[in-house]
Amino acid sequence: MSEEFVACHDCDLVHRIPVGQEGRSGRCIRCGGVLFNEKRNSVERTLALAVAGAVLFVVANVFPFLSFDMQGRVTETTLLSGVRELWNQDMGSISFLVLITAVVAPGMQLLLLLYILVPAHLGRAPHQLSLCLRLLRRFEAWSMMEVFLIGIFVALVKLGDLADIVPGPAIFSFAILILVLAGAAATFDRRGLWRLVPVSA
Ligand SMILES: [Zn+2]
C-alpha cells in the first residue's frame, strides 16, 4: 500500500500514513491534533452541493427578494436593486460591503468550487489548484450571507407596522443557499485533491 507524509498542523511532527483512508480520520501521536479527516465521496458530494448552490444563487439574484405594500403602493426589491438603492442614498461603503459579502464572495466561492470539482470528478487536477484553494479561503472568509439575512429580519420586524411585507422567492433561495454552502464547506476535502496533481521529479 502506498504511503504519504503528513505534517501535524499544530506541532509539525511528520507522520507516514497509508493512502486511501476514505471515511477515516487520524490524530497526531505527539499532541493529539487532527492530522487528516477524509470524507467519503467528497468530490461527488461537494460537487452536487455546488451545482445546487449555483441554481439557488441565480434564483436569489434574479427573483424579487421582498415586496413592500405601503397603502396600496407596491415596491419590489431584488438583492442587487437593494445594493443600488443603498448606493443612491449615499451609503456607498455599506452598499459595497453588502455587494461583497452577500453577492460577490458567495458567487466566487461557488465558481471556484465548480472550477475545482468538475475536473476532479473526471479524475484531473484543475489548473492552478493551489491558487484556487487560496482564493477559496479568502472568499469563504468574506462570505457573510447569514449576517445579511439577520439584518433583513431585524429590519422586517421594525418595518412590520408600517407596511405589508411579502417575502419573495429569492429570500428563500438565499436562506437555503447558506445551508448548502455550509454543507459544501463541510464535505470539501482539500487534502484529497492534491492526489490528482502529478508529482514531477
Ligand atoms: Zn502534533
Coordinates of all heavy atoms in Angstrom, one line a residue, residues 95-165:
S95 N -23.2 49.8 0.9 CA -23.6 49.2 -0.3 C -22.5 48.2 -0.9 O -22.7 47.1 -1.3 CB -23.9 50.3 -1.3 OG -23.6 49.9 -2.6
F96 N -21.2 48.7 -0.8 CA -20.1 47.9 -1.2 C -19.9 46.6 -0.4 O -19.7 45.6 -0.9 CB -18.8 48.8 -1.1 CG -17.6 48.1 -1.6 CD1 -17.4 47.9 -3.0 CD2 -16.6 47.7 -0.7 CE1 -16.3 47.2 -3.4 CE2 -15.5 47.1 -1.2 CZ -15.3 46.8 -2.5
L97 N -20.1 46.8 1.0 CA -20.0 45.6 1.9 C -21.0 44.6 1.6 O -20.7 43.4 1.5 CB -20.1 46.1 3.3 CG -18.8 46.4 4.1 CD1 -19.1 46.7 5.5 CD2 -17.9 45.2 4.0
V98 N -22.3 45.1 1.4 CA -23.4 44.1 1.1 C -23.0 43.4 -0.3 O -23.2 42.2 -0.4 CB -24.7 44.8 1.0 CG1 -25.8 43.9 0.4 CG2 -25.1 45.3 2.4
L99 N -22.6 44.2 -1.3 CA -22.3 43.6 -2.6 C -21.2 42.5 -2.4 O -21.3 41.4 -3.0 CB -21.8 44.7 -3.5 CG -21.5 44.2 -4.9 CD1 -22.7 43.8 -5.7 CD2 -20.8 45.3 -5.7
I100 N -20.1 42.8 -1.6 CA -19.0 41.8 -1.5 C -19.5 40.6 -0.7 O -19.2 39.5 -1.1 CB -17.8 42.5 -0.8 CG1 -17.2 43.6 -1.7 CG2 -16.7 41.5 -0.5 CD1 -16.6 43.1 -3.0
T101 N -20.1 40.9 0.5 CA -20.3 39.7 1.4 C -21.6 38.9 1.1 O -21.6 37.7 1.4 CB -20.5 40.3 2.9 OG1 -21.6 41.2 2.9 CG2 -19.3 40.9 3.4
A102 N -22.5 39.5 0.3 CA -23.7 38.7 0.1 C -23.9 38.3 -1.4 O -24.7 37.4 -1.7 CB -25.0 39.6 0.4
V103 N -23.1 38.9 -2.3 CA -23.2 38.5 -3.7 C -21.8 38.0 -4.3 O -21.7 36.9 -4.8 CB -23.7 39.7 -4.6 CG1 -23.9 39.3 -6.0 CG2 -25.0 40.3 -4.0
V104 N -20.8 38.9 -4.2 CA -19.5 38.5 -4.9 C -18.9 37.3 -4.2 O -18.5 36.4 -4.9 CB -18.6 39.8 -4.9 CG1 -17.2 39.4 -5.5 CG2 -19.2 40.9 -5.7
A105 N -18.7 37.4 -2.9 CA -18.0 36.3 -2.2 C -18.7 34.9 -2.4 O -18.0 34.0 -2.8 CB -17.7 36.7 -0.7
P106 N -20.0 34.8 -2.1 CA -20.6 33.5 -2.3 C -20.6 33.1 -3.7 O -20.4 31.9 -4.0 CB -22.1 33.7 -1.8 CG -22.2 35.1 -1.2 CD -20.9 35.8 -1.5
G107 N -20.7 34.0 -4.7 CA -20.7 33.7 -6.1 C -19.3 33.2 -6.5 O -19.2 32.1 -7.2
M108 N -18.3 33.8 -6.0 CA -16.9 33.4 -6.3 C -16.6 32.0 -5.7 O -15.9 31.2 -6.3 CB -15.9 34.4 -5.9 CG -15.8 35.6 -6.7 SD -15.5 35.3 -8.5 CE -13.8 34.6 -8.4
Q109 N -17.2 31.8 -4.5 CA -17.0 30.5 -3.8 C -17.6 29.4 -4.6 O -16.9 28.4 -4.8 CB -17.8 30.6 -2.5 CG -17.1 30.2 -1.2 CD -18.0 30.3 0.0 OE1 -18.7 31.4 0.1 NE2 -18.1 29.3 0.8
L110 N -18.8 29.6 -5.2 CA -19.4 28.6 -6.0 C -18.7 28.4 -7.3 O -18.4 27.2 -7.7 CB -20.9 29.0 -6.3 CG -21.8 28.9 -5.1 CD1 -23.1 29.7 -5.4 CD2 -22.1 27.5 -4.8
L111 N -18.2 29.5 -7.9 CA -17.5 29.4 -9.2 C -16.2 28.6 -9.0 O -15.9 27.7 -9.8 CB -17.1 30.8 -9.7 CG -18.0 31.4 -10.7 CD1 -17.4 32.7 -11.2 CD2 -18.1 30.5 -12.0
L112 N -15.5 28.9 -7.9 CA -14.2 28.2 -7.6 C -14.4 26.7 -7.3 O -13.7 25.8 -7.8 CB -13.5 28.9 -6.5 CG -12.8 30.2 -6.8 CD1 -12.4 30.9 -5.5 CD2 -11.5 29.9 -7.6
L113 N -15.5 26.4 -6.5 CA -15.8 25.0 -6.2 C -16.1 24.3 -7.5 O -15.6 23.1 -7.7 CB -17.0 24.9 -5.3 CG -16.8 25.2 -3.8 CD1 -18.1 25.2 -3.0 CD2 -15.8 24.1 -3.2
L114 N -16.9 24.9 -8.4 CA -17.2 24.2 -9.7 C -15.9 24.0 -10.5 O -15.7 23.0 -11.1 CB -18.3 25.0 -10.4 CG -19.7 24.9 -9.8 CD1 -20.6 25.9 -10.6 CD2 -20.2 23.5 -9.8
Y115 N -15.1 25.1 -10.6 CA -13.9 25.0 -11.4 C -12.9 23.9 -10.9 O -12.3 23.3 -11.6 CB -13.2 26.4 -11.3 CG -11.9 26.4 -12.0 CD1 -11.8 26.6 -13.4 CD2 -10.7 26.3 -11.3 CE1 -10.6 26.6 -14.1 CE2 -9.5 26.3 -12.0 CZ -9.4 26.4 -13.3 OH -8.2 26.4 -14.0
I116 N -12.9 23.7 -9.5 CA -12.0 22.7 -9.0 C -12.6 21.3 -9.1 O -12.0 20.3 -9.4 CB -11.8 23.0 -7.5 CG1 -11.0 24.3 -7.3 CG2 -11.0 21.8 -6.8 CD1 -10.9 24.8 -5.9
L117 N -14.0 21.2 -8.8 CA -14.6 19.9 -8.7 C -15.0 19.2 -10.0 O -15.0 18.0 -10.0 CB -15.8 20.0 -7.7 CG -15.4 20.3 -6.3 CD1 -16.6 20.7 -5.5 CD2 -14.6 19.1 -5.7
V118 N -15.3 20.0 -11.0 CA -15.7 19.4 -12.3 C -14.5 18.5 -12.8 O -14.6 17.3 -13.1 CB -16.3 20.4 -13.3 CG1 -16.4 19.7 -14.7 CG2 -17.6 20.9 -12.8
P119 N -13.3 19.1 -13.0 CA -12.2 18.3 -13.4 C -11.8 17.2 -12.4 O -11.5 16.1 -12.8 CB -11.0 19.3 -13.6 CG -11.5 20.6 -13.3 CD -12.9 20.5 -12.9
A120 N -11.9 17.5 -11.1 CA -11.6 16.5 -10.1 C -12.5 15.3 -10.2 O -12.1 14.1 -10.1 CB -11.7 17.1 -8.7
H121 N -13.8 15.5 -10.6 CA -14.8 14.4 -10.8 C -14.3 13.6 -11.9 O -14.6 12.4 -12.0 CB -16.1 15.0 -11.0 CG -17.2 14.0 -11.2 ND1 -17.5 13.0 -10.3 CD2 -18.0 13.9 -12.3 CE1 -18.5 12.3 -10.9 NE2 -18.8 12.8 -12.0
L122 N -13.7 14.2 -13.0 CA -13.2 13.5 -14.1 C -11.8 12.9 -13.9 O -11.2 12.4 -14.9 CB -13.3 14.4 -15.4 CG -14.6 15.0 -15.7 CD1 -14.5 16.1 -16.8 CD2 -15.6 13.9 -16.2
G123 N -11.3 13.0 -12.7 CA -10.0 12.5 -12.4 C -8.8 13.3 -12.8 O -7.7 12.8 -12.8
R124 N -9.1 14.6 -13.0 CA -8.0 15.5 -13.4 C -7.8 16.6 -12.3 O -8.8 17.0 -11.7 CB -8.2 16.2 -14.7 CG -8.2 15.2 -15.9 CD -8.0 16.1 -17.2 NE -8.9 17.2 -17.3 CZ -10.1 17.1 -17.9 NH1 -10.4 16.0 -18.6 NH2 -10.9 18.2 -18.0
A125 N -6.6 17.1 -12.2 CA -6.4 18.3 -11.3 C -6.7 19.5 -12.1 O -6.3 19.7 -13.3 CB -5.0 18.3 -10.8
P126 N -7.4 20.5 -11.5 CA -7.6 21.8 -12.2 C -6.3 22.6 -12.4 O -5.4 22.4 -11.5 CB -8.6 22.5 -11.4 CG -8.5 21.9 -10.0 CD -8.0 20.5 -10.2
H127 N -6.3 23.4 -13.4 CA -5.1 24.3 -13.5 C -5.0 25.2 -12.2 O -6.1 25.7 -11.8 CB -5.2 25.2 -14.7 CG -5.0 24.3 -16.0 ND1 -3.8 23.7 -16.3 CD2 -5.9 24.0 -16.9 CE1 -4.0 23.1 -17.4 NE2 -5.2 23.2 -17.8
Q128 N -3.8 25.5 -11.8 CA -3.6 26.4 -10.7 C -4.4 26.1 -9.4 O -5.1 26.9 -8.8 CB -4.1 27.9 -11.1 CG -3.3 28.4 -12.3 CD -1.9 28.9 -11.9 OE1 -1.6 29.0 -10.7 NE2 -1.1 29.2 -12.9
L129 N -4.3 24.8 -9.0 CA -5.1 24.3 -7.9 C -4.8 25.1 -6.6 O -5.6 25.5 -5.9 CB -4.9 22.8 -7.7 CG -5.5 22.2 -6.4 CD1 -7.1 22.3 -6.5 CD2 -5.2 20.7 -6.3
S130 N -3.5 25.3 -6.4 CA -3.1 26.0 -5.1 C -3.6 27.4 -5.1 O -4.2 27.8 -4.0 CB -1.6 26.0 -4.9 OG -1.0 26.7 -5.9
L131 N -3.6 28.1 -6.2 CA -4.1 29.5 -6.3 C -5.6 29.4 -6.0 O -6.2 30.2 -5.2 CB -3.8 30.1 -7.6 CG -4.4 31.5 -7.9 CD1 -3.8 32.5 -7.0 CD2 -4.3 31.9 -9.3
C132 N -6.3 28.5 -6.6 CA -7.8 28.4 -6.4 C -8.1 28.1 -5.0 O -9.1 28.7 -4.4 CB -8.3 27.2 -7.3 SG -8.3 27.5 -9.0
L133 N -7.4 27.2 -4.3 CA -7.7 26.9 -2.9 C -7.4 28.1 -2.0 O -8.2 28.3 -1.1 CB -6.8 25.7 -2.5 CG -7.2 24.3 -3.1 CD1 -6.3 23.2 -2.7 CD2 -8.7 23.9 -2.8
R134 N -6.4 28.8 -2.3 CA -6.1 30.1 -1.5 C -7.2 31.1 -1.7 O -7.7 31.7 -0.8 CB -4.8 30.7 -2.0 CG -3.6 30.1 -1.2 CD -2.4 31.0 -1.3 NE -1.9 31.3 -2.6 CZ -1.1 30.5 -3.3 NH1 -0.6 29.4 -2.8 NH2 -0.7 30.9 -4.5
L135 N -7.6 31.3 -3.0 CA -8.7 32.2 -3.3 C -10.0 31.8 -2.6 O -10.7 32.6 -2.0 CB -9.0 32.3 -4.8 CG -8.0 33.2 -5.6 CD1 -8.2 33.1 -7.1 CD2 -8.0 34.6 -5.1
L136 N -10.2 30.5 -2.6 CA -11.4 29.9 -2.0 C -11.5 30.3 -0.5 O -12.5 30.7 0.0 CB -11.5 28.4 -2.2 CG -12.8 27.7 -1.8 CD1 -14.0 28.2 -2.6 CD2 -12.7 26.2 -2.0
R137 N -10.3 30.1 0.2 CA -10.3 30.5 1.6 C -10.6 32.0 1.8 O -11.3 32.4 2.7 CB -8.9 30.2 2.2 CG -8.8 28.8 2.7 CD -7.7 28.7 3.8 NE -7.3 27.4 4.0 CZ -8.0 26.4 4.6 NH1 -9.2 26.7 5.1 NH2 -7.5 25.2 4.7
R138 N -10.0 32.8 0.9 CA -10.3 34.3 1.0 C -11.8 34.6 0.9 O -12.4 35.3 1.7 CB -9.6 35.0 -0.1 CG -8.1 35.2 0.1 CD -7.8 36.5 0.9 NE -6.5 36.3 1.5 CZ -5.4 36.6 0.9 NH1 -5.4 37.1 -0.3 NH2 -4.3 36.5 1.6
F139 N -12.4 34.0 -0.1 CA -13.8 34.3 -0.4 C -14.7 33.7 0.7 O -15.7 34.3 1.1 CB -14.2 33.9 -1.8 CG -13.7 34.8 -2.9 CD1 -12.8 34.3 -3.8 CD2 -14.1 36.1 -2.9 CE1 -12.3 35.2 -4.8 CE2 -13.6 37.0 -3.9 CZ -12.7 36.5 -4.8
E140 N -14.3 32.5 1.2 CA -15.1 31.9 2.3 C -15.1 32.9 3.5 O -16.1 33.0 4.2 CB -14.4 30.6 2.8 CG -14.9 29.4 2.0 CD -14.1 28.1 2.3 OE1 -13.2 28.2 3.1 OE2 -14.4 27.1 1.7
A141 N -14.0 33.5 3.8 CA -13.9 34.4 4.9 C -14.8 35.7 4.7 O -15.3 36.2 5.7 CB -12.4 34.9 5.1
W142 N -15.0 36.1 3.5 CA -15.8 37.3 3.2 C -17.2 37.0 2.9 O -18.0 37.9 2.7 CB -15.2 38.1 2.0 CG -14.0 38.9 2.5 CD1 -12.7 38.6 2.4 CD2 -14.1 40.2 3.1 NE1 -11.9 39.6 3.0 CE2 -12.8 40.5 3.4 CE3 -15.1 41.0 3.5 CZ2 -12.5 41.7 4.1 CZ3 -14.8 42.2 4.2 CH2 -13.5 42.5 4.4
S143 N -17.6 35.7 2.8 CA -19.0 35.4 2.6 C -19.7 35.4 3.9 O -19.5 34.6 4.7 CB -19.0 34.0 1.9 OG -20.3 33.6 1.7
M144 N -20.6 36.4 4.0 CA -21.3 36.5 5.3 C -22.8 36.7 5.0 O -23.5 37.7 5.4 CB -20.8 37.7 6.0 CG -19.4 37.6 6.5 SD -18.8 39.1 7.2 CE -17.1 39.0 6.8
M145 N -23.4 35.7 4.3 CA -24.8 35.8 3.9 C -25.7 35.8 5.1 O -26.7 36.4 5.1 CB -25.1 34.7 3.0 CG -24.3 34.7 1.7 SD -24.5 33.2 0.8 CE -26.1 33.4 0.2
E146 N -25.3 35.0 6.1 CA -26.2 34.9 7.3 C -26.3 36.2 8.1 O -27.3 36.5 8.6 CB -25.7 33.7 8.2 CG -24.3 33.8 8.7 CD -23.2 33.5 7.7 OE1 -23.5 32.9 6.6 OE2 -22.1 33.8 8.0
V147 N -25.2 37.0 8.1 CA -25.2 38.3 8.8 C -26.2 39.2 8.1 O -27.1 39.8 8.7 CB -23.8 38.9 8.8 CG1 -23.9 40.3 9.5 CG2 -22.8 38.0 9.5
F148 N -26.1 39.2 6.7 CA -27.1 40.0 5.9 C -28.5 39.6 6.2 O -29.4 40.4 6.4 CB -26.7 39.8 4.5 CG -27.5 40.5 3.5 CD1 -27.5 41.9 3.4 CD2 -28.4 39.9 2.7 CE1 -28.3 42.6 2.5 CE2 -29.2 40.5 1.8 CZ -29.2 41.9 1.7
L149 N -28.7 38.2 6.2 CA -30.1 37.7 6.4 C -30.7 38.2 7.8 O -31.8 38.5 7.9 CB -30.1 36.2 6.3 CG -31.5 35.6 6.0 CD1 -32.1 36.1 4.7 CD2 -31.4 34.1 5.9
I150 N -29.8 38.1 8.8 CA -30.3 38.5 10.1 C -30.6 40.0 10.1 O -31.6 40.4 10.7 CB -29.2 38.2 11.2 CG1 -29.0 36.7 11.4 CG2 -29.5 38.9 12.5 CD1 -27.9 36.3 12.2
G151 N -29.8 40.8 9.4 CA -30.1 42.2 9.3 C -31.4 42.5 8.6 O -32.2 43.3 9.1
I152 N -31.7 41.7 7.6 CA -33.0 41.8 6.9 C -34.2 41.5 7.9 O -35.1 42.2 7.9 CB -33.1 40.8 5.7 CG1 -32.0 41.1 4.6 CG2 -34.5 40.7 5.1 CD1 -32.4 42.2 3.7
F153 N -34.0 40.4 8.7 CA -35.1 40.0 9.6 C -35.3 41.1 10.6 O -36.5 41.4 11.0 CB -34.8 38.7 10.3 CG -34.9 37.5 9.4 CD1 -34.1 36.4 9.4 CD2 -36.0 37.5 8.4 CE1 -34.2 35.3 8.5 CE2 -36.1 36.4 7.6 CZ -35.3 35.3 7.6
V154 N -34.2 41.7 11.1 CA -34.4 42.8 12.1 C -35.2 43.9 11.5 O -36.1 44.5 12.1 CB -33.0 43.3 12.6 CG1 -33.1 44.5 13.5 CG2 -32.3 42.2 13.4
A155 N -34.8 44.3 10.2 CA -35.4 45.4 9.5 C -36.9 45.1 9.3 O -37.8 45.9 9.5 CB -34.8 45.7 8.2
L156 N -37.2 43.8 9.0 CA -38.6 43.4 8.7 C -39.4 43.6 10.0 O -40.6 44.0 9.9 CB -38.6 41.9 8.3 CG -38.1 41.6 6.9 CD1 -38.4 40.2 6.5 CD2 -38.8 42.5 5.9
V157 N -38.9 43.2 11.1 CA -39.6 43.3 12.4 C -39.9 44.8 12.6 O -41.1 45.1 13.0 CB -38.8 42.7 13.5 CG1 -39.5 43.0 14.9 CG2 -38.7 41.1 13.3
K158 N -39.0 45.6 12.4 CA -39.1 47.1 12.7 C -40.1 47.7 11.7 O -40.8 48.6 12.0 CB -37.8 47.8 12.6 CG -36.9 47.3 13.7 CD -35.8 48.4 14.0 CE -35.2 48.1 15.3 NZ -34.2 49.1 15.6
L159 N -40.1 47.2 10.4 CA -41.0 47.8 9.4 C -42.4 47.2 9.4 O -43.2 47.7 8.7 CB -40.3 47.7 8.0 CG -39.2 48.6 7.7 CD1 -38.5 48.2 6.4 CD2 -39.6 50.0 7.6
G160 N -42.5 46.1 10.1 CA -43.8 45.4 10.1 C -45.0 46.2 10.3 O -46.1 45.9 9.6
D161 N -45.0 47.2 11.1 CA -46.2 48.1 11.4 C -46.4 49.1 10.3 O -47.6 49.5 10.1 CB -46.0 48.8 12.7 CG -45.8 47.9 13.9 OD1 -46.3 46.7 13.7 OD2 -45.3 48.2 14.9
L162 N -45.4 49.4 9.5 CA -45.6 50.5 8.5 C -46.1 50.0 7.2 O -46.7 50.7 6.4 CB -44.2 51.2 8.3 CG -43.6 51.9 9.5 CD1 -42.2 52.4 9.2 CD2 -44.5 53.0 9.9
A163 N -45.7 48.7 6.8 CA -46.0 48.2 5.5 C -46.3 46.7 5.6 O -45.8 46.0 6.5 CB -44.9 48.5 4.5
D164 N -47.0 46.2 4.6 CA -47.2 44.8 4.4 C -46.0 44.3 3.6 O -45.7 44.7 2.5 CB -48.4 44.4 3.6 CG -49.7 44.6 4.5 OD1 -49.5 44.4 5.7 OD2 -50.8 44.9 4.0
I165 N -45.2 43.3 4.2 CA -44.0 42.9 3.6 C -44.2 41.4 3.2 O -44.6 40.6 4.0 CB -42.8 43.0 4.5 CG1 -42.6 44.5 4.9 CG2 -41.5 42.5 3.8 CD1 -41.8 44.7 6.1

